[in-house]
Amino acid sequence: MALSFRSLSILTLASLGLAATVAAPAQSQTLTEGQRNSLSVWYRDASRRARGTWGIAIADQRGKLLWSVAPETSLVPASTVKLFTTGFARTVLGGDARRATRVVGSGFIDPLNGEWQGSWALEMNGDPSFENPSGVGPKLIDLAQQLATLGIRKIHGPMQVQSADGPAFAIYPTAWSNRHWGRLFAPLIGTLTIHENVVNFTVRPGASSGKAPQLAAESPAGIGSLISIRARTVPGRKSRLTLSATSSGGWVVGGTIGVSARPRGFTAVASDPKAVLAQAWATALVQAGITWTQGGSATSRMPGPISTVLAEVNSPMLDSLASDVNRRSLNLGAELLLQWAGGRNAPEQLTAHVEEIAGLSEGLRLLDGSGLSYEDRASPLTFVSYLAKIPTTPGGRNFPLLLPANGVGTLRRLNSGLPGQGVVRAKTGTLGQVSNVTGYLGRQDGVLIVSVMYNGSNPSRARQLEWRLFQLLGADGTVIPSDVLTPESQLGGSDETAPSDSTTVR
């Protein structure tokens, strides 16, 4: 079943068949001797086949270790940092928080011709869903149509862009390695965000050899004016198109495309999101029947700041945004959630939040919200402690349901060997020499919390082995309950009956 992230609120998630299928057992959670032996065999094989540094913690749902390998080792967490970021944002802002994008102004509408007399600006506040590439977020056309409903038929002056807190911006986080800057997974980040600060377009061959290729599709609408097609249509079916960025924020398509070739799609990072915004805004205004004269300056007959809200759209609820961030491992979305919740000194606030919830601070270092920094550090023990405790806090209720289920998103390959979708709710983390999986695993006696982290030269092999670990533990798994780990559920019995023994592989 295909779901848009607009529909993925926690209430909706809880209604998608994710309720527990078994009653809460009275016995304590534990691992059988056979399971412990299987885990030991698994680790001997994993450490041989993927040489590097492993850290593993398997705990009951209160965070008590049942089996581990170097659980206190501080490792590069990669995108598993998003677990902390989404928990922090939800704690600070609440699951139903929304991010607004507005048109603000100072002036009045001329009743004779519908012209806006005064200043106006687009207020961009870093909504990761704004003009989302999948088409499910709020759009510029929604803002333009609201202006038209007010009776505005003409606006003039250059486009001004601001945020609720000051100038709108989009930069590369300093914590990110500059070798990632500008790659599709590492676009510019900031309040000036449109279409996830990437563009998509398609080029098709000309009608005959020698004719210029044509732009067949564009997203967001309007960015075609930033694309210069200098390619040639040639005989045949092969496509040898090239794409290069210009200093003015646009792109040049060069090379050749066969007259019988299929259309060629491109995705590129926006080096100048304001240029993209301007073209998309101009197109939206035309669609709404509003004329925009961009020359000259926007004069205001009204004193004071540009602060009157003329039009406004809002993001989906934070729970939906967080679910999308974790399902797609969207770096831009994670960084925007961190900025939204933390403002200035957001990484420091994120670190303090994790220390408070997990009750651990040693070896923890968080410099960004997405995990794209190679300087981030966390241990498996910190992860399982955090995941055990965050759902018991007011801001963390049903937190596991913010994570993708096995078979979905970044867990799409964790499908075989498990009884069904929803047995696992987890987050992956992947970098050049990093492969991690951390999350929840539903079982008959409760929910296990598992953090398996690998830093080494063979992350692809390590990921296959990590999937195998979850399959070993979840062979008799059950769907994770919608109220898992809340104070009311206590699926594994009381603390007094929690197992006192655990196995640590040295």
Side-chain angles (χ1 to χ4, degrees):
M1 178 170 56
L3 296 173
S4 68
F5 72 84
R6 184 184 290 274
S7 67
L8 292 177
S9 68
I10 288 300
L11 290 177
T12 303
L13 283 166
S15 69
L16 294 177
L18 299 176
T21 57
V22 294
Q27 72 271 20
S28 303
Q29 291 175 265
T30 188
L31 296 176
T32 67
E33 182 177 355
Q35 288 171 332
R36 294 172 189 269
N37 290 337
S38 294
L39 289 172
S40 297
V41 171
W42 169 88
Y43 178 65
R44 285 196 296 270
D45 182 55
S47 60
R48 176 180 57 84
R49 297 175 64 191
R51 297 187 182 278
T53 303
W54 287 86
I56 305 165
I58 300 172
D60 67 13
Q61 60 193 39
R62 292 174 187 79
K64 184 176 182 61
L65 287 179
L66 303 177
W67 191 90
S68 62
V69 175
E72 298 179 351
T73 302
S74 183
L75 298 168
V76 179
S79 282
T80 50
V81 165
K82 294 180 177 71
L83 293 167
F84 297 147
T85 302
T86 52
F88 170 60
R90 198 166 187 253
T91 298
V92 173
L93 302 168
D96 58 354
R98 298 177 186 268
R99 199 64 160 158
T101 303
R102 304 181 178 98
V103 181
V104 295
S106 177
F108 60 92
I109 305 171
D110 188 329
L112 296 179
N113 59 10
E115 182 172 1
W116 176 254
Q117 297 291 336
S119 298
W120 60 275
L122 290 174
E123 183 185 290
M124 308 291 291
N125 293 309
D127 172 6
S129 72
F130 189 65
E131 289 280 354
N132 181 273
S134 63
V136 297
K139 300 176 176 60
L140 286 165
I141 185 60
D142 301 326
L143 293 171
Q145 288 174 341
Q146 289 181 41
L147 296 183
T149 300
L150 291 176
I152 296 176
R153 297 294 177 263
K154 298 179 182 180
I155 62 174
H156 56 89
M159 182 184 71
Q160 300 183 65
V161 185
Q162 63 184 50
S163 74
D165 300 321
F169 68 94
I171 60 174
Y172 293 115
T174 56
W176 288 3
S177 170
N178 58 13
R179 66 191 177 97
H180 291 321
W181 292 359
R183 300 176 71 177
L184 292 179
F185 60 82
L188 291 162
I189 304 294
T191 50
L192 181 48
T193 294
I194 175 173
H195 202 262
E196 296 178 1
N197 285 346
V198 300
V199 299
N200 307 103
F201 59 93
T202 303
V203 175
R204 65 167 180 252
S208 60
S209 181
K211 297 289 187 181
Q214 301 295 311
L215 189 67
E218 59 180 359
S219 180
I223 56 100
S225 59
L226 297 174
I227 301 167
S228 175
I229 299 179
R230 300 175 185 172
R232 294 180 298 112
T233 303
V234 297
R237 304 179 62 87
K238 293 185 177 180
S239 173
R240 294 187 176 90
L241 295 177
T242 62
L243 182 67
S244 57
T246 69
S247 59
S248 60
W251 298 269
V252 174
V253 178
T256 61
I257 183 170
V259 68
S260 301
R262 293 181 178 179
R264 169 78 180 278
F266 292 93
T267 300
V269 170
S271 62
D272 185 355
K274 187 175 181 180
V276 173
L277 177 63
Q279 298 304 320
W281 178 233
T283 299
L285 289 171
V286 169
Q287 293 173 344
I290 298 174
T291 301
W292 177 21
T293 304
Q294 299 185 43
S297 61
T299 59
S300 175
R301 301 180 186 177
M302 303 293 289
I306 306 175
S307 58
T308 300
V309 176
L310 303 176
E312 179 176 319
V313 292
N314 287 279
S315 72
M317 292 191 300
L318 186 144
D319 278 345
S320 294
L321 296 176
S323 297
D324 190 56
V325 164
N326 288 322
R327 177 178 59 84
R328 297 168 54 201
S329 201
L330 182 64
N331 294 321
L332 173 137
E335 297 294 347
L336 292 179
L337 288 181
L338 179 61
Q339 290 178 8
W340 183 9
R344 295 179 181 274
N345 304 317
E348 290 85 348
Q349 293 188 49
L350 173 63
T351 302
H353 163 79
V354 175
E355 291 176 348
E356 179 183 1
I357 299 297
L360 299 168
S361 61
E362 186 173 354
L364 179 65
R365 187 185 190 198
L366 303 175
L367 301 181
D368 67 348
S370 60
L372 199 54
S373 171
Y374 286 98
E375 301 303 314
D376 290 333
R377 293 291 185 275
S379 71
L381 183 60
T382 299
F383 273 110
V384 297
S385 297
Y386 182 86
L387 292 189
K389 296 174 182 177
I390 184 66
T392 68
T393 67
R397 185 177 177 85
N398 287 331
F399 178 78
L401 299 189
L402 295 178
L403 310 183
N406 54 292
V408 175
T410 58
L411 299 187
R412 61 188 179 278
R413 295 184 180 178
L414 182 57
N415 213 16
S416 62
L418 294 172
Q421 187 172 306
V423 171
V424 174
R425 290 274 176 175
K427 181 74 193 73
T428 59
T430 308
L431 283 172
Q433 294 193 337
V434 179
S435 178
N436 305 326
V437 185
T438 294
Y440 304 92
L441 191 154
R443 287 161 38 105
Q444 296 290 335
D445 62 345
V447 175
L448 293 182
I449 303 173
V450 181
S451 180
V452 52
M453 303 179 70
Y454 168 83
N455 288 185
S457 60
N458 201 341
S460 178
R461 176 62 60 80
R463 178 56 46 79
Q464 297 173 8
L465 293 162
E466 289 162 354
W467 291 156
R468 178 58 182 154
L469 173 64
F470 276 84
Q471 290 161 351
L472 281 172
L473 292 169
D476 63 345
T478 61
V479 173
I480 293 175
S482 60
D483 61 349
V484 65
L485 301 180
T486 60
E488 295 84 357
S489 61
Q490 298 297 331
L491 296 182
S494 66
D495 286 334
E496 287 73 24
T497 61
S500 58
D501 61 317
S502 66
T503 299
T504 298
V505 178
R506 300 295 184 184

